[in-house]
Amino acid sequence: MDNKTFYNEILTDHNMHPAHKYKLEDANMALEGVNPSCGDDVVLQLKVEDGVVKDGAYIGDGCAVSQASADMMLDLVIGKPVEEALRLREIFMRMIKGEITDEERDELEEAGVLQDISHMPSRVKCAVLGWRTLGEMLGYKEEQPEE
């Protein structure tokens, strides 16, 4: 099976049958992420206890890429320590920029199929919406260039 077919199947599956698209009643963290250029909207909800992402869900509307990417992200980070979730987020963001190794892409599991989004600039903001929201929720600090 070629990569494009694999990409389309995974994206379609996560969009049509999302495992994490519902209201998480016992969430202790929630944040809305919006892509103003296209209207994609994700409200990310997490239950974080003792430094571990115990559970997560999202609600929202948007294109298949934004919704499927959020679902894949939650598959990956639920059950992980916050530090690991942020590390995976950082790998995903570098992947979108074309700056990771094959081994790092493998760590992203199914989310790695979104690697080729970097060649579709209009879709990049869609793919990173949930991941940016996760970073904001968990206190990720972008490195600022020294002045």
Side-chain angles (χ1 to χ4, degrees):
M1 178 181 321
D2 70 14
N3 284 346
K4 192 169 185 84
T5 302
F6 189 57
Y7 162 86
N8 286 332
E9 285 183 9
I10 290 174
L11 199 70
T12 300
D13 186 50
H14 278 277
N15 195 47
M16 300 298 291
H17 310 288
H20 305 288
K21 191 170 186 174
Y22 58 90
K23 182 171 176 35
L24 184 63
E25 296 296 335
D26 61 347
N28 56 12
M29 301 179 84
L31 185 64
E32 182 176 25
V34 177
N35 182 352
S37 63
C38 68
D40 287 349
D41 178 56
V42 169
V43 179
L44 185 60
Q45 306 155 35
L46 297 178
K47 181 177 182 180
V48 177
E49 293 178 345
D50 302 319
V52 175
V53 179
K54 297 285 189 179
D55 202 359
Y58 71 100
I59 54 175
D61 295 299
C63 70
V65 172
S66 72
Q67 302 300 291
S69 183
D71 200 58
M72 286 185 253
M73 175 192 71
L74 286 166
D75 274 351
L76 199 57
V77 302
I78 291 172
K80 303 267 189 332
V82 167
E83 296 79 22
E84 177 67 4
L86 288 171
R87 188 183 75 79
L88 291 166
R89 177 220 181 262
E90 189 266 333
I91 291 172
F92 184 86
M93 299 303 274
R94 284 191 298 110
M95 177 187 75
I96 294 300
K97 297 175 186 172
E99 301 171 353
I100 65 167
T101 65
D102 289 342
E103 292 79 20
E104 287 175 315
R105 188 188 65 239
D106 290 346
E107 286 187 69
L108 296 175
E109 299 175 8
E110 283 186 332
V113 302
L114 295 172
Q115 184 172 23
D116 288 337
I117 290 287
S118 62
H119 304 299
M120 299 175 246
S122 65
R123 305 309 295 203
V124 167
K125 287 183 181 179
C126 305
V128 302
L129 179 60
W131 297 85
R132 283 196 189 279
T133 306
L134 176 73
E136 288 177 39
M137 284 179 75
L138 298 179
Y140 181 81
K141 302 284 187 237
E142 297 280 345
E143 288 191 25
Q144 300 298 320
E146 292 184 28
E147 295 183 25

